[in-house]
Amino acid sequence: MWNIAEELGAILIFAEHRYYGKSLPFGNKSFDDARYLNYLTSEQALADFAVLVQHLKKTIPGAQDTPVVAIGGSYGGMLAAWFRMKYPHVVAGALAASAPIWQFEDLVPCGTFYSIVTQDFHKSGNCCAESIQNSWAAINRLASTAEGMRWLSCAFRMCSPLKTKQDAAAFKAWLSETWVNLAMVDYPYKANFLQPLPAWPIQVVCEHLQESKLSDKALLKNIFQAVNVYYNYSGDASCFNLTQTATQSLGMQGWYYQACTEMVMPMCSDGVNDMFEPQKWDLRAYSDDCYKVWGVRPRPSWIPTAYGGRNISSHSNIIFSNGGLDPWSGGGVTRNITDTLVAIMIPEGAHHLDLRSNSPYDPNSVLQARMQEVHFMKLWVKKIQQDKRRK
């Protein structure tokens, strides 16, 4: 983004989403009660952005007639696309990077996400995905006894020991999220987006998972070495906390609420086409969990209703970029819809790699993607300027 802004001579504005960061409308009480959270929706956030753009145009000298382009990655990419759809008079176009706008209802198969994660590990080392796939049964066998629980707690250097079946389930969920996060941040250079990590971290992880047919304890010792790459690449961690999978606050509290209202993204695994334990998508259980935590129930159909689902061909000037390594690409737009709803695929790209600063280690595919993105932005700006001159 910084490089693109410099090339286009643009102002780069970061707008904080309501209920994230310091933008808490009810202060410290914002998350205390569901009645304070009624204003936490994507639609309200888009309205905020529209008002902000208009305010900036009025208050920044020379900005009144300046074209605006929305840029975002992940949920921010979804918002960028929806911003252009809902407020085409405010933004000239949008770059929606790694934006899974179709990860809703039955728009894509629920197993696609975990299948892509598994493919990343398959590509990165022999027996790597198979080792992870075999680890679940090994954990289950050891977790069936108190002695096995103690061994797992010690072997994985847990800050709090495993004691119950619920603890064992939380441990497996923690491991699953680790593998997913690695797929998202499989960047070609050292980075610290979620954790400090080496270049191509999945390849480094897979160096520890080259033998899948081992005894339970031998296999899980290798699994520990693998997760140690993610959680302790810096060497500073003395123990692992199962409630922490990222070093930074990404505003997860707000996201968890939105996932229980509008951002309902069905996901499942079968243990055959992926390396995870079989788990069906169960909307009823999902809804019950949301009600226990927030006192609300999800509306799984609302996002496709509000933003059109796959029926978006009437819109224009949106670039959908996706990385071939990114599991969220399964819910993204990966083929051109029209001449102005354009898909750019980055085969060696993980989660919104194209939005990161230029690096000498960038693969050629992301360099080409950025050039295409700038090309389209220039076309949008040029057309607006031409239209104004005609007036």
Side-chain angles (χ1 to χ4, degrees):
M1 292 182 288
W2 292 268
N3 305 100
I4 290 175
E6 185 175 2
E7 182 174 348
L8 297 178
I11 300 172
L12 195 59
I13 303 290
F14 288 86
E16 189 167 77
H17 192 299
R18 56 171 60 197
Y19 289 85
Y20 289 76
K22 297 181 180 179
S23 299
L24 301 175
F26 297 97
N28 293 334
K29 295 182 179 180
S30 295
F31 288 92
D32 287 353
D33 193 296
R35 60 182 172 156
Y36 295 134
L37 289 163
N38 290 334
Y39 305 97
L40 174 49
T41 68
S42 59
E43 294 153 301
Q44 292 275 10
L46 294 177
D48 289 342
F49 300 156
V51 171
L52 175 63
V53 169
Q54 292 172 334
H55 170 74
L56 294 173
K57 284 194 169 190
K58 291 177 181 178
T59 56
I60 297 177
Q64 183 175 358
D65 297 321
T66 301
V68 177
V69 174
I71 300 175
S74 198
Y75 173 45
M78 299 160 76
L79 290 172
W82 294 336
F83 197 15
R84 169 61 186 174
M85 293 178 190
K86 293 294 186 181
Y87 296 91
H89 59 291
V90 176
V91 286
L95 168 55
S98 299
I101 64 167
W102 289 341
Q103 191 70 47
F104 297 92
E105 287 200 300
D106 57 355
L107 298 181
V108 297
C110 64
T112 301
F113 183 91
Y114 289 112
S115 176
I116 295 174
V117 175
T118 302
Q119 291 169 24
D120 292 349
F121 282 82
H122 270 306
K123 295 173 187 174
S124 298
N126 292 330
C127 299
C128 190
E130 291 81 1
S131 294
I132 294 171
Q133 191 171 33
N134 292 344
S135 71
W136 309 118
I139 293 170
N140 290 340
R141 284 188 287 267
L142 283 165
S144 64
T145 67
E147 181 183 353
M149 289 269 207
R150 285 192 293 271
W151 185 90
L152 286 169
S153 302
C154 180
F156 281 83
R157 299 180 188 175
M158 296 181 192
C159 299
S160 299
L162 303 179
K163 295 181 179 179
T164 66
K165 289 182 179 180
Q166 289 77 16
D167 291 342
F171 172 52
K172 290 189 291 183
W174 176 77
L175 287 174
S176 292
E177 188 170 351
T178 303
W179 310 134
V180 167
N181 286 351
L182 279 162
M184 287 174 56
V185 297
D186 197 20
Y187 296 131
Y189 44 74
K190 288 184 178 182
N192 61 353
F193 175 46
L194 296 179
Q195 295 276 10
L197 290 171
W200 299 119
I202 292 184
Q203 291 184 14
V204 179
V205 162
C206 288
E207 290 175 4
H208 301 285
L209 301 176
Q210 298 181 18
E211 295 182 71
S212 59
K213 297 181 180 179
L214 298 170
S215 67
D216 289 350
K217 290 184 177 180
L219 175 62
L220 293 176
K221 285 179 180 178
N222 289 346
I223 293 290
F224 166 76
Q225 293 299 330
V227 298
N228 198 54
V229 172
Y230 182 78
Y231 290 106
N232 197 27
Y233 182 65
S234 64
D236 296 332
S238 58
C239 65
F240 293 161
N241 184 347
L242 299 189
T243 63
Q244 184 175 351
T245 55
T247 55
Q248 313 170 23
S249 171
L250 299 179
M252 295 310 294
Q253 192 175 16
W255 178 254
Y256 289 148
Y257 174 79
Q258 286 186 269
C260 278
T261 53
E262 57 179 353
M263 296 296 167
V264 185
M265 300 181 174
M267 292 185 185
C268 62
S269 54
D270 61 13
V272 176
N273 296 297
D274 56 65
M275 62 186 190
F276 296 87
E277 278 197 303
Q279 186 168 351
K280 293 181 178 181
W281 168 246
D282 187 338
L283 178 59
R284 171 49 59 184
Y286 184 92
S287 177
D288 289 344
D289 288 342
C290 288
Y291 192 78
K292 288 176 184 176
V293 176
W294 300 106
V296 298
R297 292 195 181 275
R299 296 187 293 168
S301 301
W302 180 242
I303 290 296
T305 300
Y307 301 114
R310 287 185 176 271
N311 300 315
I312 60 174
S313 59
S314 61
H315 301 292
S316 64
N317 294 3
I318 304 174
I319 303 166
F320 296 97
S321 64
N322 281 284
L325 304 178
D326 183 14
W328 291 108
S329 66
V333 179
T334 56
R335 293 185 181 180
N336 292 352
I337 297 175
T338 67
D339 291 342
T340 60
L341 294 179
V342 181
I344 297 176
M345 283 301 298
I346 308 167
E348 299 93 351
H351 205 46
H352 49 60
L353 174 63
D354 50 324
L355 297 190
R356 298 178 66 86
S357 296
N358 288 344
S359 165
Y361 301 102
D362 280 330
N364 187 60
S365 60
V366 77
L367 299 178
Q368 293 297 319
R370 290 177 183 142
M371 290 175 60
Q372 287 180 270
E373 292 162 2
V374 172
H375 167 73
F376 283 109
M377 290 180 192
K378 287 180 176 178
L379 288 180
W380 302 337
V381 171
K382 183 178 179 181
K383 186 177 187 306
I384 286 179
Q385 292 171 339
Q386 288 175 341
D387 290 346
K388 286 181 178 177
R389 282 196 291 268
R390 290 193 188 101
K391 296 177 181 179

